[in-house]
Amino acid sequence: MSNFAVNALWLFCASLQAAIAYRMWQRKNYRDYPLFFAYTLEQLVRFAVLFYCYQLHLQTNYFHAYAGFQAIEAILQIGVVCELFSDVFRPYEGIRQIGPSILRWASVFFLFSAILVAAYSTGADSYKYLGQMFAMERSVEIVQAGLLLFLALASSLLALEWKWQTLWIAFGFGLFSGVNLIAYTIRFQFGMSSQHQLSLLSNSAYAVAVLCWVRAFYFLPEESGPAGQPPAQWDVHSWNRALLQLLRR
Amino acid sequence: MEQSLATTVTEMNLIIIIAVTLLAALLGLALYRVAAGRTSGVGGTNPKALIEPLDVLAFNNLIDPAEENFLRENLPASIFRDIQRLRLRAAIEYVMCASGNAALLIALGKHLNSVAGGQRSQQARELVSAAVQLRLLSILVLCLLWIKIAFPGLRLSLKEVSTMHERLVREHAFLDRLRGSEHLLEPSN
């Protein structure tokens, strides 16, 4: 039953991602989100290779292919988060350069946290290589989830508005990154005993994330804005000057 | 010895699980907040009703250092601290309102930028930039004011921060272009 569910989720995600890739290509969205497009294509290739190895019980090949794709995926996932950072800050010329600074410092902080977590935790896997791989995946998820958290906090504080597609891409990544973070941590601590349930949980979270991405590219809302009337006159510049003077005192 | 080591390892693993779960939960909450902010927006409501009129002169009086010095010199220390806290709380209210107005102007400016063309679009972009700057300044000023509330006697200045900010503004040379943007949101003919 569990095996059937995993296979079904696998096929479900792959077909939806093919649809996303097609839509991005058709609407030229790959210009706005080149790394997300690359990530989607990588997921399709990964599916084809891993599914083939899995069905034919080519265990060694599966294992090597999995490790290789995980490394590529880790780089692409961090790249997509950087892409989201730049996309959120790009429209605001006054603070455009703050985005990369926040990204740089947040990356250093979460990389350091990931190293600390890796150094201070002990795995339950008898097969050391497998344990190390899960530790690495957890570290990547820590950096990714941390960067997304920083982006969401910074944009909330500065009242920056996200584009619809950026929001749903981030939602998808945030969801499966959060679930994977917990799943990898439990998997790393408790070893093989929790493998099947966690794999199903992780795959389900990924399927929901793919649905978020489908929503990002297939269900665009009609832009509704404020009424045509002007707002009350309110002098933003005087306030900028007043606050600057206060800081200068 | 071995048992205490095992206990430490278990505790460490538990801390890691809790920290990781907390990170995941915070991420969910933060993204939800962003999404909620996007959907609530300003659409469908009258912006006039949302923007709170704020008197910048009253705010300037409230944070006037000369007035602060006068109170410091003429009042007993404990009374000065109480009054200063009240003044600072009022100033915080002002800054939070200004910050809220800035958020509203960002949303309005973004919308106008997407629907208007030509010069109005450029002006809308400039208004958004100024409003974002105000939002950023508000965060810094709020930090400063909260520290001052905690230590009312402290003579604290963030001159370096303001100098950095000014340089940033000058580099982008947008303050001068903002002078005429008061009429930005009036309907064009």
Side-chain angles (χ1 to χ4, degrees):
Chain A
M1 176 62 196
S2 167
N3 206 23
F4 172 76
V6 169
N7 277 342
L9 278 174
W10 223 351
L11 287 166
F12 175 69
C13 290
S15 52
L16 287 181
Q17 283 194 307
I20 293 169
Y22 171 71
R23 185 70 158 197
M24 285 185 83
W25 181 259
Q26 193 189 28
R27 300 243 168 139
K28 296 188 170 39
N29 288 127
Y30 57 83
R31 287 177 182 166
D32 299 324
Y33 304 100
L35 286 171
F36 180 72
F37 186 65
Y39 171 77
T40 307
L41 293 182
E42 186 266 344
Q43 288 294 301
L44 288 172
V45 176
R46 176 193 160 108
F47 161 76
V49 174
L50 291 188
F51 197 72
Y52 175 78
C53 294
Y54 186 73
Q55 295 304 322
L56 295 182
H57 303 289
L58 306 171
Q59 281 187 353
T60 317
N61 291 347
Y62 180 91
F63 189 74
H64 287 136
Y66 180 84
F69 278 117
Q70 279 303 105
I72 298 169
E73 193 179 305
I75 295 165
L76 283 174
Q77 280 180 0
I78 303 289
V80 171
V81 176
C82 296
E83 194 167 78
L84 296 179
F85 251 92
S86 121
D87 193 71
V88 168
F89 281 88
R90 195 184 303 129
Y92 305 95
E93 54 185 81
I95 52 159
R96 199 175 285 161
Q97 64 278 60
I98 290 176
S101 311
I102 294 176
L103 179 65
R104 214 168 20 244
W105 286 107
S107 306
V108 170
F109 175 77
F110 285 107
L111 207 61
F112 187 66
S113 308
I115 291 168
L116 271 185
V117 168
Y120 280 99
S121 52
T122 46
D125 267 302
S126 50
Y127 189 24
K128 205 176 172 187
Y129 186 69
L130 205 60
Q132 282 169 348
M133 204 168 73
F134 278 109
M136 190 204 81
E137 285 180 13
R138 187 184 55 182
S139 298
V140 171
E141 297 298 344
I142 288 175
V143 175
Q144 191 184 330
L147 289 180
L148 275 174
L149 176 66
F150 248 72
L151 176 61
L153 288 179
S155 70
S156 285
L157 281 174
L158 294 172
L160 307 183
E161 202 174 281
W162 295 34
K163 281 197 301 199
W164 173 265
Q165 286 158 337
T166 307
L167 178 69
W168 282 99
I169 290 173
F171 243 158
F173 270 101
L175 182 89
F176 94 81
S177 183
V179 172
N180 271 357
L181 191 55
I182 297 169
Y184 285 141
T185 305
I186 295 173
R187 171 66 184 77
F188 181 70
Q189 312 289 359
F190 298 105
M192 277 302 276
S193 58
S194 53
Q195 172 70 28
H196 285 295
Q197 295 87 333
L198 290 175
S199 172
L200 195 60
L201 177 73
S202 183
N203 283 334
S204 308
Y206 190 71
V208 179
V210 173
L211 284 175
C212 288
W213 299 332
V214 167
R215 182 158 188 194
F217 292 98
Y218 277 91
F219 300 95
L220 296 170
E222 280 191 25
E223 285 298 326
S224 66
Q229 291 177 321
Q233 295 293 311
W234 190 74
D235 192 359
V236 61
H237 322 303
S238 304
W239 274 93
N240 266 334
R241 279 193 295 274
L243 296 188
L244 263 176
Q245 273 166 17
L246 173 62
L247 287 174
R248 211 182 292 133
R249 277 170 200 159
Chain B
M1 175 70 182
E2 262 183 33
Q3 199 178 358
S4 82
L5 190 70
T7 316
T8 314
V9 166
T10 314
E11 277 174 7
M12 209 63 198
N13 287 347
L14 194 66
I15 290 170
I16 287 169
I17 290 176
I18 292 170
V20 153
T21 312
L22 205 64
L23 176 62
L26 278 175
L27 174 63
L29 273 176
L31 284 174
Y32 173 76
R33 216 180 119 83
V34 170
R38 195 191 188 282
T39 48
S40 64
V42 289
T45 50
N46 182 3
K48 268 186 178 174
L50 292 174
I51 290 196
E52 282 197 52
L54 286 172
D55 187 357
V56 74
L57 287 176
F59 174 73
N60 278 334
N61 286 337
L62 205 56
I63 52 155
D64 186 2
E67 210 161 310
E68 187 183 325
N69 284 339
F70 176 79
L71 291 173
R72 193 194 300 271
E73 282 160 16
N74 291 287
L75 290 173
S78 61
I79 296 175
F80 166 73
R81 278 198 296 274
D82 289 345
I83 288 180
Q84 187 60 6
R85 277 201 183 100
L86 288 175
R87 282 159 50 85
L88 290 171
R89 283 213 175 91
I92 283 175
E93 291 284 316
Y94 269 99
V95 178
M96 283 170 90
C97 270
S99 179
N101 282 355
L104 203 60
L105 286 178
I106 291 169
L108 283 166
K110 285 270 287 178
H111 173 68
L112 282 170
N113 186 30
S114 62
V115 295
Q119 198 184 347
R120 281 170 72 81
S121 168
Q122 171 67 18
Q123 286 178 326
R125 275 202 302 276
E126 287 169 348
L127 181 73
V128 169
S129 289
V132 170
Q133 291 284 331
L134 178 56
R135 191 84 185 174
L136 188 62
L137 277 174
S138 305
I139 296 166
L140 295 174
V141 166
L142 281 174
C143 293
L144 174 74
L145 291 176
W146 280 115
I147 294 171
K148 280 192 161 188
I149 280 189
F151 309 100
L154 195 68
R155 289 170 195 273
L156 185 68
S157 166
L158 288 181
K159 202 172 176 179
E160 279 302 308
V161 176
S162 78
T163 315
M164 265 171 55
H165 177 266
E166 269 185 350
R167 203 185 313 135
L168 190 79
V169 169
R170 220 176 18 251
E171 275 170 12
H172 288 270
F174 71 83
L175 256 189
D176 286 338
R177 290 184 274 128
L178 290 169
R179 302 280 182 242
S181 64
E182 280 83 15
H183 307 294
L184 166 68
L185 299 165
E186 286 170 8
S188 61
N189 296 317

